[in-house]
Amino acid sequence: MASDNNSPSLEILVRRPEECSLWTGPPFENGQPNIKLDKVICLNAKFSDDGSLLMVVKSNSVITIYDCKTAKEIRSFQVPNLVASVLSPRGTYLQTFQKPSGPQDKNVTLWKIETGDSIYQHSQKNMTRANWPAIQFSSDEATACRVPTNEVQFFDTGDFSKGVVCRLRVPGVASAELSISPASHVAAFVPESKGVPASVQIFACGDASQTQPMARRSFFRCSTTQLKWNHGSTGLLIVVQSDVDKTNQSYYGESKLYYLTTDGVHEGLVPLRKEGPIHDAQWSNSGSEFAVVYGFMPAKATLFDKKCRPLLELGTGPYNTIRWNPKGKFLCLAGFGNLPGDMVFWDYVERKQLASTKAEWSVSSEWSPDGCYFMTATTAPRLQVDNGIKIFHYNGSLYFKQMFDKLYQADWKPESPSKFGDITELIKSLDSIKLEDKKPSGQGPKPTQVSTKASSANPTAQKPAAYRPPHAKTAAAIQAELLGESSAESLSKNALRNKKKREKQKEKKAAADASS
């Protein structure tokens, strides 16, 4: 597929046991990717959010930084007893967490990559998913903050030697999330304590004079939250999870979805039309709409605008994942993890379903930055067998497949979607591709067949049949036979064949009796 000459090329990071590589493409020449960086010693690897740098952890004490344009090493850091590390969004800083040797040991360090110097340090007892990275940066690195006891602290990102320049008092705060772009607001989560319900509060960044939040919502039966800002920093989705479901309908607890706006206009539940858990909730790249997959299986999927009004129903099915195309127009609705891997591709602008296919046992999934390809990966340690990568076209047809004895990671190199042309221009060369059963050259077994559906302006999803266990099917066949039912749907093939034999035997016997 040809793209704008000024557009960056797509690249994929592939990490296997003790080494990683960097592929160029798709598109792939002769059906195989070219290797830009090959067999680098690696325990872990991660791109900066803008795709300018690649961080490779080579051991528990060595971190190497690569320039993604040249694939050349530009800096190496010696960090003994390394536990975790992360790049800032624009690749200006490297943040590391070391195993502390004492209670006052300053084990969180911020390094300036350009010079290799340590510019800030503080102590942190432990590392969890909620408190790492310890220092959060906005996407443009204009704002940085951390969450110690009872407050949110802000830094001057131009000069960390100043230390904390602003302290926002939030008693009991456990975690915080900066808004994406612009970094004008911060959402703070306060867990339940001594009978006081949990809450999420929204504040303006760097304003220590605030005594009341701009928006607030309290929650009963709340164990954890996921905070999801939209682009534009006008809305916040809050997935509230409780470890216990009071209705006893779910072993995994109870979840609710709330929506808060920074102007305080909306502070309440998202109006969902089916009971059950929240499987996934994601904002579109524009920040003007969001999608939710929810409810007991078969789950339901709905698109909402930023005023929380339903825009489009995507039907029901075995789904728990939604992925928006970064260039707009398309999205993928899928069921991964413990589900069988069904995927449905939608043109949500035209409000029509493009195709459906499968990617069984997928652990990770994401659109390419140009919006033309969708990649799924089956990786260890989640799954120890059938590890591999599948890449699909925007319309659901399988483009590439490769299997591995062991695969730990497969990530697109991040790029701003604005660097690529209009999505309708980018896919022109793909419009002639027929959705049919194909076998990619040199690649494993025959891929899953993609089914194309003729769609109206807003197709109605077929209601899936209720699950019937094998013993129930057998019982239904026996009951049909005893009651003399003639419907072929009620009988298995063997039962129907035996029934026909018995009927013929009865006819022969009746004819013999009549002749005698």
Side-chain angles (χ1 to χ4, degrees):
M1 182 194 66
S3 60
D4 192 317
N5 291 332
N6 296 322
S7 299
S9 62
L10 298 177
E11 296 179 8
I12 301 174
L13 172 68
V14 178
R15 181 166 65 92
R16 288 165 287 182
E18 300 182 353
E19 65 179 33
C20 68
S21 301
L22 195 59
W23 294 357
T24 56
F28 298 139
E29 296 180 4
N30 301 319
Q32 294 294 324
N34 291 325
I35 307 300
K36 186 175 182 179
L37 187 65
D38 194 24
K39 296 183 179 179
V40 176
I41 296 173
C42 176
L43 297 181
N44 199 2
K46 185 72 175 177
F47 289 108
S48 59
D49 288 351
D50 65 351
S52 61
L53 299 180
L54 173 65
M55 174 195 71
V56 177
V57 180
K58 294 188 173 181
S59 70
N60 61 356
S61 60
V62 178
I63 302 172
T64 302
I65 309 298
Y66 289 85
D67 185 324
C68 288
K69 286 185 178 180
T70 63
K72 301 294 184 183
E73 179 181 331
I74 61 173
R75 184 75 59 190
S76 185
F77 295 86
Q78 299 288 330
V79 186
N81 301 316
L82 179 69
V83 176
S85 58
V86 66
L87 291 170
S88 60
R90 290 191 171 183
T92 308
Y93 306 102
L94 169 69
Q95 187 175 170
T96 60
F97 181 96
Q98 297 167 267
K99 184 178 180 180
S101 57
Q104 302 302 319
D105 186 18
K106 292 185 176 181
N107 58 323
V108 174
T109 306
L110 198 64
W111 309 81
K112 187 75 173 289
I113 292 178
E114 184 180 3
T115 62
D117 296 333
S118 167
I119 60 172
Y120 176 79
Q121 288 183 302
H122 72 253
S123 299
Q124 184 170 313
K125 290 182 180 180
N126 52 41
M127 184 196 72
T128 64
R129 185 173 297 180
N131 65 15
W132 182 255
I135 300 173
Q136 277 190 60
F137 286 89
S138 59
S139 58
D140 59 2
E141 295 187 1
T143 305
C145 70
R146 66 179 290 245
V147 183
T149 305
N150 295 326
E151 61 184 18
V152 181
Q153 299 177 348
F154 293 87
F155 299 90
D156 180 349
T157 56
D159 187 1
F160 275 89
S161 64
K162 295 179 181 179
V164 178
V165 296
C166 178
R167 300 173 187 269
L168 178 64
R169 182 74 177 173
V170 186
V173 62
S175 62
E177 189 73 26
L178 282 173
S179 58
I180 298 176
S181 179
S184 53
H185 299 82
V186 62
F189 169 58
V190 179
E192 183 179 351
S193 178
K194 298 179 181 178
V196 178
S199 67
V200 169
Q201 306 168 50
I202 296 178
F203 299 91
C205 283
D207 186 359
S209 63
Q210 292 182 91
T211 56
Q212 295 296 325
M214 303 174 67
R216 175 193 175 104
R217 183 71 189 186
S218 297
F219 318 102
F220 292 95
R221 302 197 308 272
C222 173
S223 304
T224 60
T225 59
Q226 299 176 46
L227 307 177
K228 300 172 181 283
W229 282 102
N230 70 336
H231 288 271
S233 304
T234 59
L236 175 72
L237 291 175
I238 308 168
V239 181
V240 176
Q241 181 71 39
S242 172
D243 291 338
V244 178
D245 183 1
K246 293 289 185 180
T247 64
N248 292 322
Q249 295 185 72
S250 174
Y251 175 81
Y252 299 100
E254 181 183 14
S255 57
K256 300 287 184 182
L257 181 64
Y258 293 84
Y259 178 48
L260 271 66
T261 55
T262 51
D263 58 10
V265 172
H266 196 103
E267 297 180 9
L269 282 166
V270 176
L272 303 179
R273 300 177 181 179
K274 186 174 185 179
E275 291 186 359
I278 307 300
H279 303 290
D280 199 7
Q282 298 291 340
W283 285 98
S284 69
N285 195 63
S286 68
S288 299
E289 55 270 316
F290 62 92
V292 189
V293 186
Y294 59 96
F296 296 111
M297 290 294 166
K300 190 176 183 67
T302 306
L303 268 59
F304 296 87
D305 65 12
K306 59 182 179 181
K307 292 186 178 180
C308 224
R309 297 175 301 199
L311 290 176
L312 178 64
E313 295 291 345
L314 302 181
T316 60
Y319 307 127
N320 61 4
T321 302
I322 193 84
R323 293 288 182 263
W324 290 90
N325 186 292
K327 293 294 292 181
K329 192 172 176 61
F330 305 118
L331 61 81
C332 179
L333 178 64
F336 297 140
N338 295 329
L339 296 178
D342 294 79
M343 298 194 302
V344 179
F345 290 83
W346 278 80
D347 183 331
Y348 70 88
V349 175
E350 300 293 333
R351 300 196 172 201
K352 65 180 182 180
Q353 183 176 316
L354 298 176
S356 62
T357 183
K358 275 194 174 187
E360 297 90 345
W361 312 299
S362 297
V363 175
S364 63
S365 61
E366 195 54 73
W367 286 95
S368 60
D370 69 348
C372 293
Y373 299 93
F374 188 77
M375 178 171 68
T376 65
T378 303
T379 58
R382 175 69 179 270
L383 289 173
Q384 301 292 338
V385 296
D386 295 319
N387 285 191
I389 294 172
K390 292 181 181 178
I391 299 177
F392 299 83
H393 287 299
Y394 73 96
N395 55 17
S397 60
L398 183 61
Y399 171 72
F400 174 83
K401 176 180 178 180
Q402 182 159 324
M403 306 302 292
F404 298 85
D405 292 334
K406 194 75 69 178
L407 177 68
Y408 286 109
Q409 183 180 356
D411 293 332
W412 295 105
K413 188 188 81 168
E415 293 284 359
S416 171
S418 63
K419 294 182 179 180
F420 300 90
D422 183 77
I423 187 65
T424 55
E425 295 296 325
L426 290 171
I427 66 175
K428 274 186 177 180
S429 60
L430 298 178
D431 287 342
S432 60
I433 296 177
K434 295 181 180 180
L435 298 181
E436 59 184 8
D437 211 359
K438 291 185 177 182
K439 182 175 180 179
S441 57
Q443 302 302 328
K446 196 174 186 179
T448 304
Q449 185 174 1
V450 181
S451 60
T452 309
K453 298 183 179 179
S455 306
S456 61
N458 188 1
T460 303
Q462 293 183 354
K463 185 176 180 181
Y467 171 72
R468 298 177 67 196
H471 67 81
K473 295 178 182 178
T474 304
I478 294 173
Q479 182 182 16
E481 185 174 352
L482 292 174
L483 296 178
E485 294 180 5
S486 59
S487 173
E489 294 179 356
S490 300
L491 300 174
S492 67
K493 290 182 179 180
N494 289 333
L496 188 60
R497 191 180 301 114
N498 293 334
K499 181 182 178 183
K500 289 180 179 179
K501 287 181 179 179
R502 287 192 296 273
E503 289 175 349
K504 287 182 180 180
Q505 290 175 355
K506 288 180 181 179
E507 290 175 359
K508 289 180 179 179
K509 185 177 180 182
D513 292 341
S515 61
S516 62

